[in-house]
Amino acid sequence: MNDHVHVHRFENGLVLLAEPMDWVESAAFTWLLPAGCRHDPADQLGLASFTCEMAQRGCGPWSNRQFVERLDNLGIVRSAGVSLEHTRFGAAMPRQRLAEALQAYSQLIWHPHLPADQVEESRQVCSHDIHSIQDAPAQQLMQALRRQYYPEPLGRSSQGTLAGVEAIGHSQVSQFYQSHYHPDGSILAVAGNIEWPELLEEVGGLLEAWQGPANDCPEPAEATGEDLHIPHSSSQTHIGIAFDAIPYSHPDYFQLRGAIGVLSDGMSSRLFTEVRENRGLCYAVQASCSSLKDRGCVMTYAGTTTERAQETLDVTLQELVRLGKGIEAEELKRLQARIKSALIMQQESSSARSSSITSDWYFLQRVYSLEELNRILDDLTCESINTYLAENPPGDFRIVTLGEQPLETPHAVS
Amino acid sequence: MQFLEHQLENGLQVIAECNPQACCSAAGFFVRAGARDESDSLSGVSHFLEHMVFKGTERRAAADVNRELDDMGAQSNAFTSEEQTVYYAAMLPEYLSQGIDLLADIMRPSLREEDFAMEKQVILEEIAKYDDQPPYGAQERVMALHFGSHPLARSVLGTCQSVEALSRDQMAGYWQERYSPSNMTLAATGKIDFDALVSQLETLCGSWQGADVERAIPSGGEGGQLEQIHKPEATQQYVLQLANGPAADDPRRFAARVMATVVGDETGSRLFWELVDSGEAEIAALDSYEFEGTGIFMNYLCCTPERARQNMETIDAMLATLRQDGIRQEELEQAQNKICSQVVLGSERTMNRLFSLGINWMLRKNYMTVAETVESYSRVTCQDVAELLEEFPLDRRSLVTVGPLSRWDE
């Protein structure tokens, strides 16, 4: 197993990462561009997603249809999306197709047609994405929780609003592309059965001349969100809770991750045991760490029938408060085994690795090796996690619910 | 990569695709028990039983089962379909023996009354969860409509009423019959010492008893019916259509997937260009599924209610053209390239290989390498697709629509 990750920063600012995995037959890349929805103007929410959709409608020598046919014929399995900070393109393929895939995506990113005669089609695609969230209550809830927890624009969801998407025209898309699809702030991470010298030469040949200035990021506003109930006609109530925590880049991050793992990872975790197994309150309950570059939080989700929603909220809050009182050695040992196994199993997937090294680089400007992560996990102790929890007990909860009736949200639980 | 098989005297089958280079091992019990094996009074029991299997045995309490799986760092879960219930775990090779011990033990669950009552609540919550998300149970409704009195009409989850009415003893009876060793297969992939595996299973499962069990396998559904469910609070309209397709043991299943990819894959298909790329619909897809004795093509449309009728007319016209003209050579090759790449990429994960190996064995009692699978898709011709469409016309179908439209024919 090879832990070495190659890194090269081109003069234009583009960072190329590569993790060779000679035991797989595939290659995969993740390409992040500094074109996230935080840059959407307030009256055009959804612009980054709209631009991402338009960028895929033909580029370089290829029309929309020719481009898709080319990728399909190369057997490239792909994805595209927008997050708060980035527009992301992902692709996985048989390793022999990597060079052609990189050529195709370089055209997409550098020479998209952004065809003016397909603005209306793109608007419809973006509107569908917004409608689909309206029919997906769990997603709707978690989007609302992010909005209520993070200050604007950090809590935005990439789909934007129908009014925002309606206000977008070709010139706004073109301008957004010009301002944000830049090499500086872009990360291209490749993993799989690859040769670094060839890859470096290939990417250099394709993208060295790509130019563009770095983006400015407006400072977020102060957090002003409050608890919220969203009326929704259904037999289910969805419950989201957020509280302050540290981001991935913080030196104590793995203390937090350990604590939240005890709370939510696996079938013996506290939330699964107390909410589902011991009380049968719901089918799905979970908690996870949410990280932005300079801040983070923990978010929990539970979906349950309306009659049992209050008890589900109460028990979940009790578990969050109990977590602040510390974890036990047995719980930590199980978590360490789970995470270590998951890290090793991730070595089977070039897609998972390319995604993981991209994320590391964005948050840390470096990539953890497997050995380093194992060492960090081995160094976690009950004492270290409990010290963290004693200093940062879960509290000051932001609670968002979606369902027939609002729930009582006792802030003074302890 | 080596395929090995063995049958215990009581009928339990053991199969493995051994890859000494793999970094992990995966194993699972594949039980030939699903919704199609139920009766009206047992509707939902296969899935409920899948939950109860994790609730403990003579040797282990429920909490022990969950804790041990986590102790091993296993990625484990279970699922129930119309035809199978599958319990699986992927873990580092040094934990395989412990993982097998646990999986084998939970196949003989205690089914304690107290756990049964508690888990019934979780099942009811799961039913409510699916009722609250698109397409609001329409997938099960269209299966029921299409298959009528056929066993494949049965819902995997069951209804709140059927689950509420189930007793612990009814479940125990169903388990006794269906979890007979001759109705089960243990499949393993990744780093596997097959001799050690067989020897361990002889010890753990050799004493299991049970009679041979039958499954009714009538031919396909009748089709041609329509059902509309009015759901005013939904935003989008959802339309699902089913038509008959090749069965699991029918060699035309490869042509079926190629055809479905040409017509309705997520990208680059006819439906994609006509309805999704143009913004007329959020989703317009065609997929093929195989069962014992029959198969289906499922067409899924999600769009605004205003466009639903027009989009359906577009789909009807497209299917008529397809039946008349078939598919073009370049479409065939594009679909083959896509499918073969997906097969090869997917096979890199030990867990994915476990599902391919196990399901293939359950349905067909044979083993296919990745190369053989790729070869089977590569051999499909336009003529094969034309013959398939003659035999399985996509316009003889059942349709369920759910959404804000108060009348489908408005």
Side-chain angles (χ1 to χ4, degrees), chain B residues 56-206:
Chain B
T57 66
E58 280 180 20
R59 287 163 54 200
R60 292 173 167 95
D64 296 332
V65 174
N66 290 344
R67 202 166 40 236
E68 274 188 53
L69 283 166
D70 285 351
D71 277 341
M72 290 183 270
Q75 292 181 4
S76 61
N77 210 331
F79 64 84
T80 308
S81 68
E82 288 84 356
E83 304 202 303
Q84 291 107 18
T85 310
V86 180
Y87 304 86
Y88 61 90
M91 59 224 117
L92 301 186
E94 57 263 38
Y95 291 112
L96 179 65
S97 161
Q98 194 184 338
I100 294 288
D101 182 86
L102 180 88
L103 283 171
D105 189 32
I106 63 175
M107 289 302 106
R108 266 49 205 150
S110 296
L111 307 179
R112 297 178 189 100
E113 193 71 62
E114 185 186 319
D115 296 326
F116 182 85
M118 182 66 79
E119 199 59 21
K120 191 178 272 190
Q121 297 304 319
V122 174
I123 302 288
L124 295 173
E125 288 291 339
E126 191 175 353
I127 293 172
K129 170 181 174 288
Y130 284 108
D131 277 349
D132 197 31
Q133 67 190 38
Y136 309 108
Q139 201 158 330
E140 298 210 322
R141 282 307 308 151
V142 77
M143 286 287 282
L145 190 68
H146 185 72
F147 283 104
S149 59
H150 189 287
L152 283 170
R154 296 196 173 279
S155 155
V156 173
L157 288 172
T159 62
C160 287
Q161 292 74 16
S162 71
V163 168
E164 298 237 28
L166 271 176
S167 72
R168 183 260 168 210
D169 289 347
Q170 281 177 298
M171 180 181 283
Y174 180 83
W175 171 83
Q176 184 76 41
E177 183 182 293
R178 287 280 149 192
Y179 283 54
S180 164
S182 61
N183 208 36
M184 301 169 75
T185 298
L186 182 287
T189 52
K191 197 165 188 173
I192 303 293
D193 177 342
F194 192 71
D195 291 341
L197 176 69
V198 168
S199 152
Q200 188 184 8
L201 288 166
E202 293 277 9
T203 308
L204 294 169
C205 316

Side-chain angles (χ1 to χ4, degrees), chain A residues 204-281:
Chain A
L206 288 169
L207 292 165
E208 234 162 6
W210 182 28
Q211 292 299 329
N215 283 329
D216 288 333
C217 275
E219 283 296 310
E222 290 295 311
T224 54
E226 297 171 340
D227 289 352
L228 178 70
H229 173 72
I230 304 166
H232 175 74
S233 166
S234 157
S235 62
Q236 283 243 299
T237 294
H238 304 266
I239 301 166
I241 306 170
F243 59 90
D244 293 346
I246 50 179
Y248 189 60
S249 53
H250 194 283
D252 286 340
Y253 174 77
F254 286 93
Q255 310 298 333
L256 167 72
R257 178 68 187 83
I260 300 308
V262 166
L263 186 69
S264 181
D265 286 15
M267 295 204 294
S268 64
S269 66
R270 290 186 179 188
L271 281 180
F272 194 85
T273 304
E274 294 302 327
V275 181
R276 176 167 152 167
E277 298 288 88
N278 289 351
R279 293 180 179 82
L281 287 171

Side-chain angles (χ1 to χ4, degrees), chain A residues 93-211:
Chain A
M93 65 226 80
R95 66 188 171 90
Q96 299 84 349
R97 301 302 192 192
L98 176 63
E100 290 156 296
L102 286 167
Q103 286 159 18
Y105 273 85
S106 300
Q107 293 289 336
L108 182 155
I109 278 155
W110 198 2
H111 303 293
H113 298 166
L114 306 175
D117 63 357
Q118 292 185 36
V119 169
E120 290 314 313
E121 286 88 338
S122 300
R123 191 190 318 285
Q124 289 307 324
V125 170
C126 294
S127 302
H128 281 305
D129 286 346
I130 296 168
H131 287 139
S132 75
I133 297 288
Q134 289 168 348
D135 279 353
Q139 273 177 279
Q140 207 182 328
L141 171 90
M142 294 313 280
Q143 289 194 351
L145 182 61
R146 290 185 75 88
R147 270 198 308 278
Q148 296 304 108
Y149 176 79
Y150 283 120
E152 167 63 16
L154 306 184
R156 285 180 178 179
S157 53
S158 63
Q159 288 89 353
T161 61
L162 284 175
V165 166
E166 206 50 52
I168 294 166
H170 185 259
S171 62
Q172 284 86 15
V173 169
S174 184
Q175 197 177 351
F176 188 90
Y177 169 77
Q178 296 290 344
S179 310
H180 299 287
Y181 279 47
H182 289 164
D184 199 5
S186 288
I187 305 167
L188 172 58
V190 188
N193 196 329
I194 51 169
E195 297 292 335
W196 170 245
E198 282 87 341
L199 177 70
L200 183 60
E201 193 180 332
E202 176 73 34
V203 174
L206 288 169
L207 292 165
E208 234 162 6
W210 182 28
Q211 292 299 329

Side-chain angles (χ1 to χ4, degrees), chain A residues 26 57 75 135 268 305 334 348, chain B residues 70-71 125 238 341 348 350:
Chain A
S26 63
R57 290 176 174 263
D135 279 353
S268 64
T305 40
R334 276 199 293 280
E348 287 187 335
Chain B
D70 285 351
D71 277 341
E125 288 291 339
Y238 303 86
S341 176
E348 288 187 344
T350 302

Side-chain angles (χ1 to χ4, degrees), chain A residues 270-311:
Chain A
R270 290 186 179 188
L271 281 180
F272 194 85
T273 304
E274 294 302 327
V275 181
R276 176 167 152 167
E277 298 288 88
N278 289 351
R279 293 180 179 82
L281 287 171
C282 64
Y283 176 72
V285 57
Q286 66 203 44
S288 60
C289 301
S290 157
S291 271
L292 303 181
K293 204 152 195 170
D294 64 342
R295 70 194 78 199
C297 69
V298 172
M299 291 190 171
T300 74
Y301 166 79
T304 181
T305 40
T306 303
E307 311 80 68
R308 321 172 88 203
Q310 187 66 52
E311 190 183 354

